[in-house]
Amino acid sequence: MTDNVRRLDLRGQTLVASGFHAPVRGTIDWLEDALIAIDEDGLIVSVTRPGEAEYEMAKREAGRAGRLATLPAGTILLPGFVDLHIHAPQYAQLGRGLDVPLEVWLHRYTFPLEARYADTAFAGRVYRRLVDDLLANGTTTALYFATAHVEASNLLADICLERGQRALVGKVAMDDPAGCPDYYRDASPEASVESTRAVIGHIRAMPGNAKGRVLPVVTPRFIPACTDAALQGLGDLARDCGCRVQTHCSESDWAHGHVLARHGMTDAASLDRFGLLTAGGVLAHSNFLTADDMDLLVARKAAVAHCPVSNAYFAGSVFPLKAALEKGVRVGLGTDISGGPIATMLDAMRGAVMASRMLESGVDPDLPPEQRSSRAGARIDFRDAFHLATAGGGDALELPVGRFEPGCHFDALAIDCEAPQGGIRLWGTEAGDDLLQTILYTASRPNLARIWVGGAQVG
Ligand code: GUN
Ligand code: FE
């Protein structure tokens, strides 16, 4: 069944493969020659390991029925990556404008660019390129901010469905004349709510989307861009429509300070008043969460999208990831394109590890080590990062993705560890967690040989 050229459709097949997943944070599960049975809907039915009673018979039966698929030697299976925070329109400025603060970047680069998505031909060109690139980079699920335009937001959802990416798409709501330019904002709080409702309706009615491959998300940009009336209307809409919510929370000193000054409380507390902290919902960044904020997120089952690469440019601090995890906050990772200039979740994982190490050690070389350390025990390792980029993202969204377990979608990557153009170089001694670490730190796009979403190969 192995086919190195044609797409490999695994719906209704049983795959024999070796690979890693991290269903529980901190531990890696190695599957060696496991049998993964996938149904016609792309859901995993069973995962059987050699030595288990049914293994030999299941393998024989799948082979006899012509439903046994194998991967080439040297291929390692990983769950697909979940990008928990990404601005689709900003792909057209990837790598630009990161030498100024957030509030300058928004008005000088980002709002003018996003305003151009009134042109759906331009939107289509960028969005097709983006979705294809993300899939090729292993992002099988993405939680997108689109723009304030209904048509271009609808188009992003159409393109995700057409290309086969699992996606959640939000039309950006931003109506406050004090925080948004005249040329790019919703006309009123009512317009924010009604345009959001229109995109929710479009996504739910898209032909071919009956199973919800693409989902709508209520998306107030952030408190500084929204009036209180819009925030309240959007909270009500999310409740009435049963929709997830995403927004930015306490990203930088400026953004955090704006909400403290305007509402007299933290972002998280204020968002909660409007009904915007919900299960399956995602707060991007959240760098300045207090301990009480973290408790609130836990109570509401709202998640943080940790965006370590972007935070290096805009946040002015490092997200206290380990503290949040230890409190039980749901956390996943995001690229935050284009606040983060790298379109792969591999770099979000690498960045999360690096940022946590610097938070633990401290960064000022003029201080002696005992004074330099800023947070003892703040580090995570590649195991945690891998969990966050896969199962953690799925848990944040309350979607069954990121694990090789019965009931989960078969969203997966075949890593070719021998691709000549790729970054991975193996020397024959790597095994177990070491092998995973090598893959995560050195893989590049040519190593991602095949990508599946719901059992169907995409890209
Ligand atoms: N805060 C409000 N809008 C944005 C955005 O587009 N990117 C980032 N990083 N932060 C924001
Ligand atoms: Fe963002």
Side-chain angles (χ1 to χ4, degrees), residues 85-87 90 105 145 248 251 284-285 307 310 336-337 339:
H85 183 59
I86 169 165
H87 297 263
Q90 296 173 20
W105 173 82
F145 276 59
H248 295 90
E251 176 177 0
H285 306 285
C307 306
S310 162
D336 192 27
I337 287 171

Side-chain angles (χ1 to χ4, degrees), residues 21-30 381 383-384 386-387 433:
H21 68 154
V24 178
R25 184 175 69 81
T27 55
I28 300 301
D29 186 23
W30 164 243
D381 70 7
R383 298 174 185 85
D384 300 309
F386 178 56
H387 169 83
D433 288 14

Side-chain angles (χ1 to χ4, degrees), residues 355-369:
S356 77
R357 294 289 292 262
M358 290 183 179
L359 184 60
E360 179 170 297
S361 66
V363 295
D364 185 348
D366 284 344
L367 295 174

Side-chain angles (χ1 to χ4, degrees), residues 62-249:
R64 209 175 291 138
R67 290 175 169 271
L68 190 67
T70 57
L71 300 174
T75 304
I76 299 290
L77 200 67
L78 302 180
F81 302 137
V82 179
D83 189 338
L84 212 53
H85 183 59
I86 169 165
H87 297 263
Q90 296 173 20
Y91 198 47
Q93 65 177 14
L94 195 74
R96 273 226 315 268
L98 295 176
D99 51 349
V100 295
L102 174 65
E103 59 275 27
V104 175
W105 173 82
L106 284 170
H107 287 270
R108 186 181 297 170
Y109 296 97
T110 301
F111 294 155
L113 170 64
E114 290 192 12
R116 291 180 58 198
Y117 287 74
D119 174 358
T120 49
F122 174 64
R125 208 151 51 82
V126 178
Y127 289 163
R128 282 190 190 90
R129 183 73 262 164
L130 169 69
V131 172
D132 288 348
D133 284 347
L134 290 177
L135 284 169
N137 287 337
T139 299
T140 49
T141 299
L143 173 57
Y144 287 112
F145 276 59
T147 61
H149 312 96
V150 170
E151 280 193 5
S153 302
N154 290 346
L155 183 59
L156 174 59
D158 295 343
I159 289 169
C160 292
L161 190 63
E162 171 195 302
R163 299 303 216 243
Q165 190 180 42
R166 197 176 304 287
L168 303 96
V169 174
K171 177 254 169 239
V172 176
M174 43 192 289
D175 72 314
D176 193 342
C180 309
D182 291 340
Y183 63 83
Y184 183 52
R185 73 162 176 263
D186 298 326
S188 64
E190 295 75 27
S192 281
V193 173
E194 289 318 309
S195 55
T196 300
R197 194 194 304 277
V199 174
I200 294 170
H202 172 85
I203 292 174
R204 288 184 168 167
M206 286 192 300
N209 196 33
K211 298 209 168 100
R213 169 70 62 91
V214 180
L215 296 166
V217 198
V218 170
T219 306
R221 183 169 206 121
F222 64 158
I223 290 177
C226 297
T227 61
D228 289 5
L231 294 166
Q232 188 59 58
L234 293 163
D236 295 345
L237 179 67
R239 184 197 58 225
D240 296 345
C241 290
C243 242
R244 291 173 180 78
V245 177
Q246 62 176 343
T247 187
H248 295 90
C249 173

